[in-house]
Amino acid sequence: MKKLIATLVVCLLIIILTFTCFVGCKETDDKVIRVNEVTHSVFYAPLYVAINKGFFKDEGLEIELTNGGGSDNTMTALVSKSADIALAGPEASVYVYLEGKTDYAVIFAQLTRKDGSFLVGREKEEDFDWDTSLIGKEIIGGRKGGMPAMALEYALVNRGYVDGENITINYDVKFDLIVPAFESGTGDYCTMFEPAASNYEKAGKGYILGSVGEASGDVPFTSFSALKSYIEKNPEKIEKFTRALQKGMDYVWENTPETVAEAVKNSFVGTEVDLLAAAIKNYKDIYAYSKTTTMKEEDFGRLIDIITDAGIIDKEVPFDKIFDNSFAVK
């Protein structure tokens, strides 16, 4: 009888310990948000500031950051639920919505308001002109249907360029392979984000000739989205995430590029702080970073016009389905 009681006590203790561990682990997991970013760039400085300055930690959140290497991969990670939040162009959320999924990707915060890529050439062109210098040339523009490619195309079309006639836009190179493809001899020009562009120039491999964002104008370019079901189940986490992100945005705009570079340097190990500062200055100079996480409906409309003009979609996309401004407003 004593042995039976002892056995029952041991079993009870095991159950209690297992339950306690499970609860503890669950609480820890509840603090984690898995973010998959389309690429790793100073273009997303407010996010890295929020991570490195502890703004997410202040909200009780822990960020697990992974690199998708392209919006298609990033959105696949979100839809497959291997990521909780996707940092990608808003066009990716539009495509998922148009697939007819009931649990589609909803954007809840905008991060950037211009294209963040820079046109890079092999030679230094002091008199480079968007209107004339690219005639008869080939540009590696990224994946067709991706926001970087469409912003570039939009800038070129508005200047009289027609792909296949007076210019060639190469859509065959995956986003994360553009730099090595260009370095190996493909194309006359390509687009690069920072700090890759500044690093490339410093290495003497090419030259930054112009800003695609400045040439194409304001448009919602990068945003954070989550599956509709995730937002419905985790509204507090989304609100905390958005609040920490806004603090990161405020920090970027309220401080010098040098100060911001110091704040993000741990996210760019191996890149010199002066290069980070130069890249951040480039983005601030063209007002690439958003000052608020909200997205304007008219800006979203311009995005849809760009996607439609590119021949990617031919359907109406309701703003209130794709974007939830409530967290940004709070």
Side-chain angles (χ1 to χ4, degrees):
M1 187 67 174
K2 289 182 179 179
K3 287 183 179 180
L4 178 61
I5 293 173
T7 301
L8 290 173
V9 169
V10 170
C11 290
L12 183 59
L13 286 172
I14 291 173
I15 292 172
I16 292 172
L17 288 172
T18 301
F19 178 77
T20 303
C21 179
F22 174 77
V23 171
C25 292
K26 188 174 187 303
E27 287 177 351
T28 301
D29 290 343
D30 281 346
K31 297 177 182 178
V32 175
I33 294 184
R34 300 167 301 164
V35 179
N36 188 291
E37 58 181 358
V38 62
T39 189
H40 196 65
S41 170
V42 181
F43 190 40
Y44 311 138
L47 170 64
Y48 309 132
V49 166
I51 292 173
N52 295 329
K53 297 296 289 184
F55 298 152
F56 286 114
K57 187 177 180 180
D58 291 343
E59 295 290 341
L61 300 177
E62 178 184 336
I63 303 300
E64 287 185 0
L65 191 63
T66 54
N67 190 332
S71 60
D72 50 345
N73 296 330
T74 294
M75 199 51 61
T76 296
L78 185 71
V79 172
S80 67
K81 298 185 179 180
S82 59
D84 303 315
I85 291 175
L87 170 60
E91 82 286 351
S93 295
V94 170
Y95 300 155
V96 172
Y97 174 80
L98 291 177
E99 287 177 2
K101 296 181 182 294
T102 54
D103 193 15
Y104 52 88
V106 176
I107 300 169
F108 61 88
Q110 181 175 325
L111 181 64
T112 59
R113 57 192 291 269
K114 273 190 177 77
D115 184 301
S117 59
F118 292 85
L119 188 72
V120 175
R122 303 186 190 286
E123 305 294 334
K124 192 171 186 178
E125 301 178 39
E126 298 288 357
D127 56 349
F128 175 81
D129 189 326
W130 279 97
D131 294 322
T132 59
S133 297
L134 302 176
I135 295 174
K137 303 297 184 179
E138 178 185 349
I139 306 176
I140 306 177
R143 181 179 58 85
K144 193 170 183 63
M147 203 58 217
M150 289 189 292
L152 173 65
E153 185 177 340
Y154 185 78
L156 296 174
V157 168
N158 284 344
R159 287 167 172 78
Y161 291 102
V162 179
D163 185 28
E165 293 185 13
N166 58 357
I167 197 170
T168 299
I169 305 175
N170 186 332
Y171 298 108
D172 298 332
V173 182
K174 288 183 64 177
F175 182 83
D176 55 337
L177 298 178
I178 288 178
V179 176
F182 184 67
E183 189 170 351
S184 68
T186 302
D188 301 299
Y189 302 90
C190 76
T191 57
M192 295 184 193
F193 281 76
E194 291 285 21
S198 290
N199 271 321
Y200 200 79
E201 185 173 69
K202 185 175 182 180
K205 299 176 180 179
Y207 298 88
I208 297 174
L209 303 175
S211 161
V212 178
E214 197 168 35
S216 58
D218 287 358
V219 63
F221 196 80
T222 324
S223 57
F224 290 92
S225 62
L227 292 180
K228 187 169 175 283
S229 60
Y230 183 85
I231 294 176
E232 290 172 349
K233 292 177 183 177
N234 302 278
E236 288 186 4
K237 289 176 80 171
I238 296 295
E239 184 177 337
K240 290 177 179 179
F241 183 94
T242 307
R243 185 160 50 241
L245 180 63
Q246 183 63 60
K247 291 177 183 177
M249 286 182 174
D250 293 342
Y251 188 94
V252 168
W253 281 110
E254 292 169 1
N255 290 278
T256 65
E258 291 74 20
T259 300
V260 178
E262 286 290 336
V264 303
K265 66 181 181 181
N266 289 341
S267 296
F268 296 91
V269 177
T271 302
E272 296 176 13
V273 176
D274 62 332
L275 279 179
L276 293 175
I280 292 166
K281 182 180 185 303
N282 285 342
Y283 284 135
K284 291 185 73 171
D285 284 348
I286 64 170
Y287 296 94
Y289 302 119
S290 294
K291 290 191 174 182
T292 172
T293 55
T294 58
M295 182 186 291
K296 296 179 180 178
E297 187 167 357
E298 55 266 34
D299 292 343
F300 179 77
R302 186 159 186 247
L303 168 71
I304 297 302
D305 289 342
I306 291 175
I307 303 175
T308 303
D309 291 346
I312 306 299
I313 66 172
D314 58 2
K315 297 179 181 178
E316 292 290 329
V317 182
F319 174 74
D320 59 353
K321 291 286 187 181
I322 298 293
F323 197 91
D324 184 347
N325 257 330
S326 63
F327 299 100
V329 171
K330 287 182 182 179

